[in-house]
């Protein structure tokens, strides 16, 4: 436990943390110290190696579901290329002895510009599933975003995180208004502070890795926990879930997401959610402006990790123009392709206030449960802090596009 003082727009906030450590780079020393006692990290410290390790050690269906993409995987590759095309130009002699990676997100101080992205059906990666990932985030003071499609009901995940831990709820906006209302009320009652509404998944994309294995967890009733435990959802079934699970799954598949939604539907969210609202999946400047005009608090510039539209623009290629257009009106977050500490630095320099980490923590969970998620988060943030310092930056606010150069310029 510790206290952490952070500057926000409303002056300094004393932020109580139950973090295991205050300085992210300490993980480097921890690892070397444990080495003196003869142990080395159980998982790689180069997080780009996790996917291959997961493919070796875990079952092909689940790994395929996490690693898989829309179509031929072009968008996922474009995400990586978009970040790779930017390169950091390190600056020297700038006194980086005192560093603070903390930022303010939606009025709350967080110890690093990082939250865990919503990832559904985590029980396919590890039986400890969402509670383990959420506990790892909470112990480090980082926000955890719970997916609508989690394999654990939202109340149980909230309890696993504990009071005071920062949790966000991601909504796949259902066709059924009663279920939507019920989800929002349950999320609010169990302490989720921020609503993240995903706009890019009204339909499930054509995903060859899953199709080739004919593997989709939802049809087996995995990833439906929030629905099957929901009074409004249960009330709309002819027979209880337990008596006819297949009918429940069929009903779920018809109502989980509503492709008829438009910008005109957004006021419904404000009517039923009084906290910050963030639209996830924005890639066009005009959509970002509409989100700001609609009074949203934030957006996530994201293409769902290339899992929805094959042949789409790399997410980081859309970030600078969006941040320039709306960065002063709402909080711009970024995901899709974040793998290493320098990726975080680049996204912030391109205008994001924070990033969401996706697949790497799912692999960490699959490979080593809660400890694996902790390792992934501490590795990413140690590398981020060290890359910041070695590039001449002590705080995220010091970053600007001038920190980077285009590799091809
Ligand atoms: C296995 C898997 C499940 C996901 N489930 C959800 C979800 O339930 N809701 C959501 O908004 N995004 C979901 N996403 C997208 C992530 O939130 C995030 O946008 C994406 O992982 C970023 O790409 P990256 O992991 O390649 O960096 C999922 C991603 C993966 C890999």
């Amino acid at each position: 436990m510790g206290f952490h003082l952070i500057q926000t727009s409303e002056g300094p906030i004393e932020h109580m943390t139950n973090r295991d450590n205050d300085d992210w780079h300490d993980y480097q020393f921890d690892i070397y110290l444990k080495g003196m006692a003869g142990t080395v990290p159980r998982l790689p410290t180069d997080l780009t190696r996790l996917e291959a390790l997961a493919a070796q050690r875990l079952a092909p269906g689940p790994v395929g579901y996490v690693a898989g993409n829309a179509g031929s995987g072009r968008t996922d590759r474009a995400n990586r290329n978009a970040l790779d095309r930017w390169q950091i130009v390190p600056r020297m002699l700038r006194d980086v002895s005192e560093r603070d990676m903390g930022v303010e997100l939606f009025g709350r101080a967080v110890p690093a510009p990082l939250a865990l992205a919503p990832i559904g059906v985590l029980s396919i990666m590890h039986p400890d599933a969402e509670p383990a990932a959420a506990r790892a985030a909470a112990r480090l003071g980082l926000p955890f975003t719970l997916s609508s499609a989690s394999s654990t009901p939202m109340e149980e995940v909230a309890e696993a995180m504990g009071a005071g831990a920062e949790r966000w709820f991601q909504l796949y906006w259902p066709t059924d208004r009663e279920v939507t209302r019920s989800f929002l009320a349950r999320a609010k009652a169990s302490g989720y502070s921020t609503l993240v509404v995903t706009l890019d998944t009204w339909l499930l994309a054509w995903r060859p890795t899953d199709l080739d294995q004919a593997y989709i967890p939802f049809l087996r009733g995995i990833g439906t926990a929030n629905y099957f435990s929901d009074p409004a959802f249960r009330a709309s079934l002819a027979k209880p879930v337990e008596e006819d699970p297949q009918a429940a799954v069929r009903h779920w598949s018809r109502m989980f997401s509503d492709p008829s939604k438009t910008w005109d539907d957004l006021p419904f969210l404000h009517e039923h959610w009084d906290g910050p609202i963030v639209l996830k999946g924005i890639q066009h400047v005009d959509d970002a402006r509409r989100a700001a005009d609609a009074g949203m608090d934030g957006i996530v510039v994201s293409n769902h990790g290339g899992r929805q539209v094959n042949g789409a623009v790399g997410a980081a290629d859309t970030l600078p123009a969006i941040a320039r257009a709306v960065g002063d009106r709402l909080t711009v977050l970024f995901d899709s392709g974040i793998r290493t500490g320098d990726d975080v630095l680049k996204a912030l320099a391109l205008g994001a206030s924070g990033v969401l980490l996706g697949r790497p923590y799912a692999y960490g969970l699959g490979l080593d449960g809660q400890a694996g998620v902790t390792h992934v988060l501490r590795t990413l943030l140690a590398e981020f802090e060290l890359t910041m310092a070695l590039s001449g930056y002590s705080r995220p606010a010091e970053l600007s596009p001038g920190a980077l150069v285009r590799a091809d310029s």
Side-chain angles (χ1 to χ4, degrees):
M1 282 293 240
F3 285 91
H4 183 68
L5 205 64
I6 185 165
Q7 274 312 119
T8 73
S9 50
E10 267 137 38
I13 291 179
E14 198 174 32
H15 178 64
M16 194 182 71
T17 72
N18 56 359
R19 275 181 280 149
D20 289 335
N21 67 317
D22 275 307
D23 296 313
W24 298 111
H25 72 269
D26 280 351
Y27 195 38
Q28 190 185 38
F29 292 106
D30 286 2
I31 290 173
Y32 289 134
L33 279 176
K34 284 187 185 133
M36 312 265 283
T39 52
V40 295
R42 287 208 291 265
L43 297 183
T45 52
D46 171 357
L47 299 179
T48 63
R49 291 176 49 213
L50 287 174
E51 182 177 328
L53 197 63
Q56 265 173 34
R57 292 197 191 156
L58 305 176
V63 172
Y65 182 72
V66 174
N69 287 302
S72 60
R74 269 202 195 109
T75 307
D76 189 19
R77 290 192 293 279
N79 287 341
R80 293 295 316 142
N81 290 338
L83 285 162
D84 281 347
R85 273 197 301 276
W86 289 105
Q87 295 177 332
I88 301 163
V89 187
R91 303 297 305 275
M92 298 299 138
L93 291 174
R94 287 156 60 119
D95 185 359
V96 291
S97 57
E98 293 290 325
R99 299 182 296 277
D100 185 351
M101 298 301 121
V103 294
E104 182 199 346
L105 295 179
F106 310 114
R108 299 284 289 264
V110 288
L114 182 82
L116 280 69
I119 294 200
V121 286
L122 284 174
S123 65
I124 63 172
M125 293 307 274
H126 193 280
D128 295 346
E130 292 85 6
R135 258 194 309 269
R139 287 293 298 273
L140 296 172
L142 300 170
F144 178 78
T145 317
L146 183 73
S147 165
S148 278
S150 58
S151 23
T152 316
M154 59 182 102
E155 292 81 3
E156 274 179 46
V157 178
E159 202 178 318
M161 291 187 83
E166 186 65 4
R167 46 185 168 271
W168 301 349
F169 180 71
Q170 176 267 327
L171 183 71
Y172 279 138
W173 199 340
T175 51
D176 185 326
R177 287 167 83 89
E178 290 311 313
V179 174
T180 311
R181 274 199 202 99
S182 177
F183 267 29
L184 299 186
R186 288 170 62 194
K188 200 76 210 167
S190 40
Y192 292 82
S193 65
T194 298
L195 182 66
V196 178
V197 183
T198 300
L199 304 184
D200 56 20
T201 311
W202 305 113
L203 308 161
L204 211 57
W206 188 254
R207 293 184 185 162
T209 317
D210 299 334
L211 291 162
D212 289 349
Q213 303 188 72
Y215 177 85
I216 189 80
F218 306 103
L219 293 189
R220 303 167 192 213
I222 309 171
T224 51
N226 285 319
Y227 306 83
F228 287 9
S229 62
D230 189 81
F233 180 87
R234 294 176 71 93
S236 63
L237 296 173
K239 284 188 189 163
V241 177
E242 297 72 20
E243 272 177 37
D244 194 349
Q246 276 315 310
V249 166
R250 272 197 307 278
H251 182 61
W252 171 85
S253 71
R254 285 192 297 265
M255 59 72 68
F256 101 100
S257 197
D258 179 2
S260 75
K261 290 279 186 288
T262 70
W263 293 94
D264 293 338
D265 291 299
L266 291 180
F268 177 91
L269 299 174
H270 274 134
E271 275 163 41
H272 297 278
W273 186 265
D274 56 10
I277 305 178
V278 179
L279 299 184
K280 176 169 182 277
I282 299 290
Q283 297 175 75
H284 195 288
V285 176
D286 291 348
D287 287 348
R289 287 203 184 97
R290 287 197 81 159
D293 293 344
M296 297 293 126
D297 299 274
I299 55 173
V300 186
V301 174
S302 163
N303 58 28
H304 214 105
R307 296 163 70 77
Q308 286 298 88
V309 177
N310 197 30
V313 58
D317 280 336
T318 71
L319 177 59
I322 290 177
R324 272 196 306 275
V326 298
D328 55 343
R329 297 169 69 196
L330 39 68
T331 300
V332 177
L333 302 176
F334 173 82
D335 77 26
S336 295
I338 297 289
R339 298 290 177 272
T340 54
D342 55 296
D343 291 336
V344 182
L345 188 160
K346 290 176 188 179
L348 299 183
L350 294 175
S353 295
V355 302
L356 306 189
L357 184 68
R359 286 176 171 115
Y361 91 78
Y363 296 132
L365 178 72
L367 290 164
D368 200 14
Q370 180 179 335
V373 179
T374 302
H375 168 81
V376 167
L377 297 172
R378 292 189 73 189
T379 294
L380 183 78
L381 290 174
E383 196 185 25
F384 167 59
E385 188 195 327
L386 290 167
T387 306
M388 286 280 283
L390 293 168
S391 305
Y393 303 100
S394 306
R395 283 174 186 72
E398 293 169 4
L399 290 167
S400 70
L404 309 178
V405 67
R406 291 290 278 187
D408 44 17
S409 64

